[in-house]
Each structure stands twice: as C-alpha cells, then as structure tokens.
Amino acid sequence: FQSFQNVGKEKNFVFLSKKIEPSSLLETAPLFDGLKKELAWNKFSGPTFTQSYCWPPVAWGCDVVAISHEGNDPLLYIPPVLTLLQESDYQTLQNMSGVLIVCPGWKKAQLVFDLLKTFRKGCRRLNPVLIILGQNKEAASQMEIQGREVVVTTPYNLLRLLEHNTRLLCRVCHLVLDEIEVLFSDTSEQVFTILDCYKKATAQAQGNLPHQIIAVGTQWNKHITPLIKEFMNDPHIVITVTEEAAIFGNVQQVVQPCMNSNRTAELIKILDFTQRNLQKVLVFTDSVTEVEMIHKALKSNSIVSLKKHRESTCNAKCVLERWRKMHSSGIPAVLVLTDDCLQSLGITDATWVIHFSFPSPAVFGQRLQSMSDNFCAGIKDSPVDQEDTKAKSVILLTENSSCHVPGILYYLKHAEAEIPEELYDLTTRVQESEEDKKFSRPLCASLKTFGICRNRTECPDRHRINLSIDTAQNTADEMIETPERVTILPLFIVHATNYFGRIVKKQKDQYTVLAKEMDDYFKVPGHRISVNTTEKSVFYALREGAICHRVQVVETPAKDEENVSKLTVKYIDEGRTSQVNSDQLLHLPAKFQSLPPQAVEIIVCRVKPIDNEVEWNPKVTDHINSKIKGKLHHAKVMHTLGKTVWVDPMVGVTNLPTMKIWINEYNIRSEILSTGLGTDNPEHVGEIWKLCRQRAVLDHAESLECFTKEDTAGLEEAASPQDPSVQENTASSNSPVLLDVFFLDAVVQTKEAEDSTVHQQKSCHPPIKWFQDDVSVSLRVQILRATDSKCEFSREKVTFSAYSEGKLYVADLELYQSVIAEKSTCVIKDTEAVILMVKEKKGAWCKLLKNKNVHVSLDFEHWEESEDERPFTVG
C-alpha cells in the first residue's frame, strides 16, 4: 500500500507496508498526557509528516523500520517509546532495563541522552544512563545499570559491556537502532552480533514480556532485509523518501552510455522494446526545445507519443486522459514531458521512466515517484531481477552529463545497480573539478589531524596543497629554522591532538622580550589609544587584565543594540579567536608589529579515537587540556607545512634550574591511549608525508629525496646528557613550508654520501625505516606502487630493487650481523615494501648496518620503548 497523503498544507510521499492512519495533531497523537505537556512546553511544533506515520505503530509495540529525510531525529521514536514505559504493565516487570538505544557514535549517543533528560520531569519511569566505556575493561566490569529504564550506547561499547554482563539483553523490551544506515555501513558485524544476542535473550526470557525492535534512518541499506526477515516480527515499514522507497520497491536502475549526438537514436531503440511489451513510459527532459525535438523524432519513426511542457496548449487533465486511454486500448503509452509538469499531472502508475536529460538528485526522486504504484511492497529474497520488476528507470549517460553525476553514482551504488565504467570516469572528472573549486578553502582539518577524510565529496574544505595559502606569510623565524626537536608551549586546545601555541627558543625567545615591552608600554595610560575605525586583517592591541595581546580582526559583523560593534579577533600569538567590543581595541605601534605572528598549529601524530569515531570524546580533550595548557613540552618535528607542525612524540617536561636538568613527566600520546578512548593510527605520518609531497611537486622538486640520520646516532644522542631543546641539527631544506620527518645530520658529509648522490643520478635510494625484536629485523622500504621488484638475501647482505613512477630504486645494504637468508621474506604493498629478516643469533643489534647510510633510519612508529622511555634526554 502506498499513497499520497495530505497532512497539513503540504503534499508528501509515503510508502507503507501496512495501512496506518497518521496522527497529524499532537492532541490526538498516541502519547501520554504528561509527555504531550512536556513537548508543548518545549515548543514542539510537530508531529511532522514522518512522525505522524511512525508514532502509531511504535506506540502499539510493533516492530518498525522508518526511512526518512528526518531519520536521524530521535523524536521519531522517543515520544512513543516513553509512552510505552508509562503503561501499567511495566510496573510489574522487575529489574527491566526497558529500552536500549544503540547509536552510531558517542556524539549521537550524547544528543539522545540529553534529549531524554529534557523529558525526565514529565515521565514516571525515566532514569536514563549513557554508556561510553572505551577500552577500559575495569570500567566495563564496574558498570551498574540495574534500575535504569533507558540505556543509550554505541555498538562497540555495548559489546564490551556484554562481555561482563551477559544478562543485560534479557532485561530489554525495546531495542532501538538509531541511524540504521550508518550502523550497518560502519559496524554491520557488531550490530548483527547484538541482534543475535538479543534474539537468544528474548527466546530464553521467562513470562510474557513485550519485545520490540525499532530501526530508523535516512537511507535504505541492504542489511535491513536480513534484519526484517531474521529478527523482526511482521514489521511496519514507513518510507517517506521516494528514492529509498524505489530501492525497497525493487525498481530496476539502468545506465545507458551513449554520445550526446546519439541520444535520440538510443531513445528510439529503448522505446522499440517497450512498445513490444506494452509499457506506460515517461520520457523526462529539462527543456521545452528538447520535448518538441523528441516528439517530432518519435513521430517520424512511427512511435505514437504525447507531449507536455509549460507552453503546451493542451491542459494536464486532457493529456493524462489521452495517455491512459492509449494504454487501455492496447497502444504503447509514451509521454514526453518536462519536470515542471509532473506535479500537475499527478502520475503514479508509470512502468518505465527514461531520463533523456541527466537528473539532479532532487529531480530524480520526483521522476521515480511517477512509478510509485508499481513499487513492490514485499521483502525480496534476491537482488533485482529484470523479468520480475515492474518499474524500470533508464538513465541516458553522455559526455555532457551534468555535475550531478557523483550524487547519482552514489545512489546507484546504494541501489546495487550495474554501473558502467563511463559513469565512474565522468564522476572522477567532476570530483576533480569540484576539488578545484575548493582551492581557496582551508586545508581539511580531518586530513591534517588523522591523515584521512571520510567523505571528500561532502567535505567543504580542500584536500590538496595550495602554495598561496599553505606557504605562510610573515613566517616566524622559529618555523623557518625549526630543528628536529623543539620546545613547544600549547596555549589553546582545539581537541585532544590539535593545539595552538608557540615554539619557544631556549637562548633568546623574541616573543618574551616583545611581551614585556608591550606590557611596560601599555601600563602608561597615555599610550592606550582607542581605535575609532577598525579594519579587517589589521593588527591591534587588546588588554586582558594585566596582560596585553596582539590581535587581528578577522570578522566585522553589524552593530548591536548599544551601537557597539562586536568584532571577531584572532590572538595572533596564541591562535584562539573570540568576540570583543570594538571599543576594547587599542592602537598597536609599528615597533610591536615587526615580529611575525607567533601562533603555530600543533598536531600530535599516530593516535586517533577508538571505534572508528570521527571526533575526540570531550572526556579526552578535557583531560589533555588540563594536562598541557600553558606548560612547556619537548617534541620531535615530523613535518611542517606553513604554520602547522606535526610532532611525534610530544612530552611534558619540567625544568629544575638549580640542578640544570629537564625531567620528562608524560608522553601526550601515551596519556591519550591511557584514557581507553584513543588507539594507534600507524598510517597518519605516511599520509601526511604524501600530502606534503604535493608541495614538493608543485615546487617542481620531483627528485626531492628524504634523508635520515643513521639510527645509532639517534640512539646515542638520546643517551647523552644534554638539553634536548638545544638546536644541534640543521634541516635538509631551507623551505619555510616543508620540513620533512627525515633530517640530514650535519656531521654526515662524508665521501659515502657524495658517492650515493652520484649513484642516484642513475638510480634512486628509497627511504628505509627499521625496527627489531630479539628474533627478527623488519625493514619498511617507502616506495609507492612498486613494480618489477627484486629482493635478494645472503647471510650478511640484502639487496632490494624496484621501479616506482618511472624511476629505478636500489638499496644495497650490508648488515651489521648475520641473518638466515632462507627464512627471510619481502612483501610488496601499495605504499611500501616490507622486508622481514630472521636473525641467525637471537638478541638485540646495536645497529642495522656495518656502514652509515643516510637513507636508513629507526622506525619510531614501531619502536614503542624508545618513544615511551627515551624520547628525549633526561638530564
């Protein structure tokens, strides 16, 4: 059963598996009175169209699947579920948790929990709890949920809890799966494990307990079919998105590639087939001219058709009657029309839709809606089969197809349609063009912080290097001269691994001198000259108590009621932004503007949130904020790009001036991991290296090689009693934008290095990182998409060679000690080659090679002991 319903003033689409009378008014909605009052008190304007269809079956205690544009709104299920909890039957159920709500991530779980708390006053039985455990097993074993009617959590956290509390699901009457398409896309295995446990628990439950599964989301997902068939009991299916109803309704999607000049001929071929099968066909295009052209072409090929566009003399009712009469008379019914005529015609019984002009996502749904009477209403056991499908959608894909290609491709993948290579190629070109349009946007924060952006097509920011932006203007000397190890002062904490602060020079910190001079200057009342007119991007002074800051105006909004302008300013030496009144700004003399802005963006590498989350839990950020803000840290620089510095490790230190030593207090990465809410991110540094390589390519430095310190030199330095902040080393590049993780030791200017450079004119030496345990030695050869690779082992030597991007790379390494050649292996991956050598004698090697090699360095990503115990000199 599917129909158009009129709820309120708008006409909406709904597809139902069973008939439901919608509850369009709050007064008549199936909710208990206390909750209605609470909703009215919170100025709730609903129920919305989708809520009017979802609330009744949920309140009846039925299993429900709801797919809607508002499918991520918890109010789709919370009010009727809370109504069920108020029923008298629940008073007799002892130790029941009542409702278990599973959300796709901590942020959505927090939102649902906060929403539940707002309804606590009007509900008799509502004692919610939010469970975000992380990987802390002790916390899971101590978690007590008895007496909690509503539990809100995520799939991973629920499974951790079930390890210690297997009886939890026995006390659950209502299982809610929030944002089902995200749950099934990211955690399908975990969700089905939960469903299996719930099914077993309900089967073993004693007494006549109610059990209900509710799944809501914005998109249909292929895993919903087994959810319905294996775990639900004759559910109500409510879909208010036409495109998603078309997937459930088994509409066959076909993409037909053709040349733009050949579209009409391709259309005639398709219509020739439909005529033999007596279909009711709509041919959609977006212009009056094309309607007339198609109609004329069909007539000349003896295909009877009707036409309708905004300039047609025949009205919609007349066209519709003639179209249907053709079909009932046994004549193939073909109607050529523009999109703006569909609503007036109100067609819902077409069997074929042909997209002569490529559809936008919005128009695509409207076109599919014209076939809604022929959507199948039952769950299918197998994928779409052409012979069993009543409704069919054919897209003519040409070389001129529009920018909407990526959106349609995403939908076709989602619908599991057969997709031609031409559509992929066109999508790639369109996405590249879209990425070009983002070139003036900031660099993607997720890419910088975690090395990956989950959805580049939806992300508003760019994912490529832009020299005009990423090459920082007014770069501080500390950035240009950044040594391998620096002293950092974090001042503004964005989140657990992203901060703004200053790089502090040990010998003479210029900003310290400037800050004292500014404080002394503005202590004199006569020097505090207010600014009458502010300009964007100009530097001013701002006093906060006894401290004076340099700030830059970044936004100048309209004046407030008191006729005082509210300005957004950036503290150029700290990195934070805030809103201030325009009359708070003071004139900043030129002598205080000569020192470039000191704020640097600091990113800690190789750690990310657990459970594939995209944001840090505030608990982690708050912990790091209290730990590091305003305190000195020593860090090893992995990369710099403009005013962004990637560091690994970053260690909190305390200076004992009387003893002239620094003491390491904590490692930030280890602190994050200890919370149980962070995990290792080994690909991070490699992805940032790839990103920064783009800058090198833009600089036409295609032959840029990465040099390293020989590994034992790094270990010897770590063991030597000297201050780690002393700038001993010089970078291998003077570039203010790109300082790579690998640095050339100034001491290593030997004949061997010169010979290596000469050798690289014929072949290049790949950068290599190594680590060891007592039994084996591992080498990671950093080479992209290696071809024709060879790796030869002997007792005291390994030779590797391969081609990458047209270049030959060769590494001939004479080992410090012996290995078993027969047991050693080499595996080629997309971004590197991994060489594993088995030691002839067990034990630690003090170094890898007999002779120093500037291309080989210690692998800090795997050398955890070095990171945690000896990242910097103690003393």
Side-chain angles (χ1 to χ4, degrees):
F1 171 84
Q2 55 275 330
S3 65
F4 286 97
Q5 297 290 344
N6 196 344
V7 177
K9 294 182 180 179
E10 289 189 15
K11 220 175 187 183
N12 295 277
F13 171 84
V14 63
F15 183 97
L16 304 170
S17 61
K18 300 178 183 180
K19 189 169 182 176
I20 299 171
E21 287 299 326
S23 300
S24 55
L25 298 174
L26 183 59
E27 292 78 8
T28 58
L31 309 179
F32 73 95
D33 292 339
L35 186 54
K36 289 180 183 177
K37 291 177 183 178
E38 200 67 31
L39 287 166
W41 177 261
N42 285 281
K43 298 181 179 179
F44 176 70
S45 58
T48 63
F49 178 77
T50 307
Q51 288 166 357
S52 70
Y53 281 94
C54 287
W55 285 0
V58 173
W60 300 334
C62 302
D63 288 349
V64 176
V65 174
I67 305 297
S68 165
H69 286 306
E70 59 186 85
N72 55 2
D73 183 0
L75 286 179
L76 213 54
Y77 59 83
I78 284 179
V81 165
L82 295 184
T83 298
L84 287 171
L85 285 181
Q86 306 308 303
E87 295 179 357
S88 58
D89 291 349
Y90 282 83
Q91 307 304 314
T92 61
L93 303 178
Q94 298 297 320
N95 297 324
M96 293 300 295
S97 296
V99 183
L100 173 61
I101 303 175
V102 182
C103 300
W106 70 261
K107 199 167 188 178
K108 183 60 183 288
Q110 184 70 55
L111 185 149
V112 171
F113 178 67
D114 292 341
L115 195 57
L116 286 167
K117 288 194 294 185
T118 64
F119 297 126
R120 182 179 287 170
K121 187 193 299 183
C123 297
R124 184 174 65 250
R125 288 175 56 82
L126 183 56
N127 190 14
V129 61
L130 174 65
I131 299 177
I132 303 294
L133 298 170
Q135 295 174 325
N136 190 330
K137 292 185 178 180
E138 186 177 345
S141 62
Q142 295 175 353
M143 176 59 65
E144 180 56 58
I145 62 170
Q146 189 167 345
R148 303 284 190 166
E149 288 79 16
V150 184
V151 175
V152 186
T153 187
T154 68
Y156 288 103
N157 283 294
L158 179 56
L159 290 176
R160 292 184 192 112
L161 192 60
L162 289 174
E163 288 180 13
H164 300 277
N165 189 350
T166 55
R167 299 283 300 167
L168 167 65
L169 293 178
C170 295
R171 300 195 297 268
V172 173
C173 294
H174 310 277
L175 174 62
V176 180
L177 302 176
D178 191 299
E179 293 191 44
I180 189 68
E181 76 284 356
V182 182
L183 287 173
F184 276 142
S185 295
D186 298 343
T187 55
S188 60
E189 184 180 341
Q190 289 76 17
V191 172
F192 278 118
T193 300
I194 292 167
L195 288 166
D196 282 329
C197 293
Y198 184 64
K199 187 175 182 179
K200 292 174 183 175
T202 55
Q204 296 170 2
Q206 297 179 353
N208 188 22
L209 300 177
H211 288 107
Q212 179 185 39
I213 298 178
I214 303 163
V216 299
T218 59
Q219 292 180 343
W220 187 263
N221 184 284
K222 63 181 180 181
H223 295 300
I224 297 178
T225 299
L227 166 67
I228 292 172
K229 293 177 65 178
E230 298 175 28
F231 301 99
M232 288 183 159
N233 180 24
D234 194 20
H236 285 261
I237 299 171
V238 180
I239 306 177
T240 60
V241 184
T242 311
E243 303 93 297
E244 304 306 319
I247 295 175
F248 174 78
N250 216 25
V251 174
Q252 185 182 5
Q253 298 289 346
V254 178
V255 181
Q256 183 62 51
C258 62
M259 297 299 293
N260 191 60
S261 58
N262 201 36
R263 266 193 305 170
T264 306
E266 197 65 46
L267 174 64
I268 291 168
K269 281 184 191 176
I270 296 168
L271 290 176
D272 183 54
F273 174 80
T274 63
Q275 285 191 308
R276 293 197 300 269
N277 291 274
L278 198 63
Q279 303 293 334
K280 298 171 77 174
V281 184
L282 297 180
V283 180
F284 284 98
T285 186
D286 53 14
S287 76
V288 173
T289 305
E290 284 191 342
V291 170
E292 294 291 346
M293 181 270 292
I294 295 167
H295 183 66
K296 186 177 179 180
L298 296 182
K299 187 176 180 181
S300 65
N301 282 272
S302 303
I303 297 176
V304 180
S305 67
L306 300 173
K307 63 179 180 179
K308 184 72 179 86
H309 53 71
R310 58 181 172 272
E311 298 174 12
S312 300
T313 54
C314 191
N315 63 37
K317 186 178 180 181
C318 175
V319 172
L320 190 58
E321 286 178 358
R322 289 172 60 193
W323 185 65
R324 286 178 174 160
K325 188 178 289 185
M326 287 168 63
H327 185 264
S328 61
S329 302
I331 302 171
V334 179
L335 173 59
V336 185
L337 71 162
T338 51
D339 296 300
D340 52 9
C341 297
L342 182 58
Q343 189 169 1
S344 61
L345 290 166
I347 296 173
T348 59
D349 61 346
T351 55
W352 279 51
V353 162
I354 301 174
H355 309 269
F356 190 83
S357 64
F358 199 86
S360 67
V363 165
F364 189 59
Q366 294 173 14
R367 293 176 179 181
L368 294 180
Q369 191 169 303
S370 64
M371 299 187 291
S372 58
D373 287 352
N374 291 307
F375 291 177
C376 299
I379 292 290
K380 299 295 170 292
D381 294 323
S382 59
V384 173
D385 182 64
Q386 183 174 349
E387 294 180 3
D388 297 335
T389 302
K390 289 184 180 179
K392 191 169 186 175
S393 165
V394 182
I395 302 173
L396 297 183
L397 177 70
T398 74
E399 71 277 16
N400 295 335
S401 292
S402 67
C403 61
H404 302 301
V405 164
I408 298 299
L409 174 62
Y410 175 79
Y411 175 78
L412 294 173
K413 283 183 178 177
H414 170 46
E416 297 187 282
E418 188 174 332
I419 302 170
E421 278 301 316
E422 291 88 343
L423 185 55
Y424 283 110
D425 295 341
L426 188 56
T427 300
T428 301
R429 292 200 296 272
V430 171
Q431 287 176 339
E432 287 175 355
S433 175
E434 289 298 314
E435 191 67 35
D436 290 340
K437 293 177 185 176
K438 302 176 185 177
F439 215 46
S440 60
R441 294 282 305 165
L443 192 60
C444 172
S446 178
L447 184 63
K448 291 194 292 184
T449 307
F450 305 122
I452 187 173
C453 177
R454 299 282 180 84
N455 193 348
R456 294 196 176 200
T457 55
E458 296 295 325
C459 178
D461 295 328
R462 64 185 163 87
H463 306 87
R464 299 175 183 167
I465 298 299
N466 181 344
L467 289 180
S468 62
I469 297 175
D470 297 324
T471 306
Q473 305 299 316
N474 296 322
T475 306
D477 292 342
E478 287 78 0
M479 288 295 292
I480 299 174
E481 301 168 3
T482 299
E484 193 175 26
R485 292 188 171 95
V486 293
T487 301
I488 287 175
L489 183 66
L491 298 167
F492 172 60
I493 313 304
V494 180
H495 56 67
T497 54
N498 186 202
Y499 333 120
F500 283 88
R502 289 197 298 273
I503 295 177
V504 180
K505 277 192 173 182
K506 184 187 177 226
Q507 284 79 7
K508 183 181 180 182
D509 184 39
Q510 292 175 289
Y511 180 76
T512 304
V513 176
L514 174 72
K516 186 177 186 310
E517 290 177 355
M518 285 176 57
D519 288 343
D520 292 342
Y521 177 84
F522 285 106
K523 281 178 182 176
V524 180
H527 291 164
R528 300 173 202 162
I529 305 171
S530 297
V531 179
N532 295 324
T533 305
T534 56
E535 297 180 40
K536 199 171 179 180
S537 302
V538 175
F539 291 171
Y540 299 98
L542 176 66
R543 279 178 64 86
E544 288 183 346
I547 302 173
C548 194
H549 302 275
R550 297 191 302 170
V551 299
Q552 181 183 32
V553 175
V554 294
E555 190 177 337
T556 55
K559 295 181 179 180
D560 63 13
E561 295 175 358
E562 298 177 357
N563 207 31
V564 177
S565 292
K566 285 283 187 182
L567 306 172
T568 302
V569 297
K570 181 176 182 179
Y571 293 71
I572 62 173
D573 302 308
E574 293 185 12
R576 63 188 169 106
T577 59
S578 69
Q579 278 201 335
V580 299
N581 294 332
S582 57
D583 57 7
Q584 291 179 260
L585 299 184
L586 305 174
H587 174 71
L588 184 67
K591 64 179 180 178
F592 297 136
Q593 298 187 35
S594 58
L595 184 69
Q598 298 295 293
V600 173
E601 184 181 25
I602 304 149
I603 298 173
V604 174
C605 298
R606 289 196 308 118
V607 63
K608 63 182 178 181
I610 61 169
D611 302 342
N612 212 26
E613 296 273 9
V614 295
E615 293 182 52
W616 285 109
N617 190 298
K619 293 178 182 177
V620 189
T621 299
D622 292 344
H623 173 67
I624 295 300
N625 183 56
S626 63
K627 194 96 178 173
I628 75 171
K629 187 175 179 179
K631 300 175 183 177
L632 285 178
H633 293 73
H634 289 162
K636 178 179 178 180
V637 175
M638 307 299 282
H639 293 279
T640 67
L641 183 67
K643 290 193 172 184
T644 300
V645 180
W646 285 269
V647 297
D648 184 31
M650 180 172 167
V651 179
V653 293
T654 298
N655 184 19
L656 301 180
T658 55
M659 302 177 66
K660 296 184 179 180
I661 61 171
W662 292 85
I663 296 176
N664 295 346
E665 291 188 14
Y666 54 84
N667 180 314
I668 289 180
R669 182 171 177 273
S670 299
E671 283 291 318
I672 294 172
L673 294 175
S674 69
T675 65
L677 296 169
T679 188
D680 190 39
N681 183 11
E683 295 83 16
H684 188 190
V685 175
E687 291 301 321
I688 298 305
W689 182 74
K690 288 181 193 175
L691 176 70
C692 292
R693 278 186 63 192
Q694 293 178 21
R695 190 269 175 192
V697 171
L698 291 171
D699 260 354
H700 305 289
E702 295 180 358
S703 61
L704 180 66
E705 292 291 330
C706 300
F707 297 97
T708 68
K709 291 181 179 179
E710 206 279 335
D711 42 276
T712 53
L715 290 174
E716 288 164 5
E717 180 186 359
S720 62
Q722 53 186 313
D723 188 337
S725 66
V726 176
Q727 302 171 12
E728 296 180 24
N729 308 308
T730 58
S732 61
S733 169
N734 292 324
S735 166
V737 176
L738 177 61
L739 295 175
D740 214 325
V741 56
F742 308 111
F743 290 83
L744 177 60
D745 194 329
V747 178
V748 188
Q749 301 293 341
T750 62
K751 179 75 165 58
E752 179 188 338
E754 293 172 4
D755 293 343
S756 176
T757 304
V758 172
H759 176 67
Q760 286 181 28
Q761 293 175 2
K762 296 180 180 179
S763 63
C764 305
H765 197 301
I768 298 174
K769 294 183 178 182
W770 79 284
F771 63 98
Q772 65 172 319
D773 55 31
D774 286 343
V775 178
S776 64
V777 177
S778 297
L779 277 63
R780 294 168 62 196
V781 185
Q782 297 180 357
I783 182 169
L784 293 172
R785 293 178 289 278
T787 57
D788 298 332
S789 60
K790 295 180 181 177
C791 192
E792 298 177 357
F793 300 96
S794 62
R795 191 164 174 267
E796 294 183 350
K797 190 175 182 180
V798 57
T799 304
F800 174 85
S801 66
Y803 283 91
S804 174
E805 299 178 345
K807 293 182 182 179
L808 173 63
Y809 288 83
V810 177
D812 193 352
L813 308 175
E814 193 172 356
L815 302 173
Y816 175 69
Q817 290 191 30
S818 303
V819 297
I820 304 173
E822 297 78 18
K823 294 185 179 181
S824 300
T825 59
C826 176
V827 177
I828 304 298
K829 298 185 178 181
D830 188 48
T831 58
E832 63 183 7
V834 179
I835 298 173
L836 179 66
M837 298 178 290
V838 179
K839 295 177 179 178
E840 192 173 79
K841 294 180 181 179
K842 293 184 179 180
W845 292 5
C846 64
K847 59 180 181 177
L848 175 68
L849 306 175
K850 286 185 178 179
N851 301 310
K852 190 182 295 290
N853 187 321
V854 295
H855 306 287
V856 180
S857 67
L858 197 62
D859 189 345
F860 284 96
E861 292 185 22
H862 291 81
W863 205 287
E864 295 295 337
E865 181 184 355
S866 297
E867 173 195 299
D868 295 335
E869 296 185 9
R870 298 184 296 182
F872 296 101
T873 306
V874 178

